[in-house]
Amino acid sequence: QVQLVESGGGLVQAGGSLRLSCAASGRTFSTLTMGWFRQAPGKEREFVAAILWYGNIAYYADSVKGRFTISRDNAKNTVSLQMDSLKPEDTAVYYCAAAMYLTADYRVSRQYRYWGQGTQVTVSS
């Protein structure tokens, strides 16, 4: 089992920044591919970013590329999402997710077995 706890959400004006963090416990963190997904009201959950369990290889949705940065700290069992130049359309509940040894289909939510409870991000115009 893996437990995930997100933190860092909140309210920010357009153009501002937020940093989300996700603390993992229960499994060797270095074996986990970590992902961030988001879900806005009335919309399906969508992929935001992922960082593979090896090599610090990161992937991003086109909508956040160049504005968001995912990173991991295997010593602290945490993954972070630095969000800059935020837009109102980034408003959503953001979820941290984990999957052991995932190297493909990392954009697909059903590939992730473990999920956090979510943290709200609201960007005002």
Side-chain angles (χ1 to χ4, degrees):
Q1 277 287 20
V2 176
Q3 293 78 42
L4 303 173
V5 179
E6 301 105 333
S7 61
L11 173 64
V12 65
Q13 288 188 332
S17 298
L18 280 175
R19 185 177 181 87
L20 305 183
S21 294
C22 174
S25 60
R27 284 279 187 179
T28 303
F29 187 72
S30 61
T31 68
L32 298 173
T33 284
M34 302 300 297
W36 286 97
F37 290 77
R38 67 187 182 186
Q39 188 166 18
K43 295 187 177 181
E44 293 189 352
R45 190 170 298 188
E46 65 174 1
F47 170 76
V48 175
I51 187 164
L52 300 190
W53 63 275
Y54 66 95
N56 270 330
I57 300 170
Y59 298 93
Y60 299 92
D62 288 343
S63 59
V64 306
K65 200 172 295 183
R67 300 188 297 121
F68 290 11
T69 303
I70 188 172
S71 60
R72 66 188 297 153
D73 186 336
N74 286 351
K76 295 182 178 180
N77 291 357
T78 59
V79 62
S80 298
L81 185 69
Q82 177 66 39
M83 305 186 294
D84 298 319
S85 302
L86 282 161
K87 304 175 181 180
E89 51 263 44
D90 294 319
T91 295
V93 177
Y94 283 70
Y95 296 91
C96 174
M100 288 189 67
Y101 299 120
L102 181 64
T103 56
D105 296 334
Y106 43 81
R107 297 173 183 267
V108 180
S109 60
R110 65 177 179 272
Q111 294 291 91
Y112 294 81
R113 181 175 181 182
Y114 306 104
W115 291 83
Q117 81 286 355
T119 185
Q120 177 71 46
V121 171
T122 302
V123 184
S124 63
S125 57

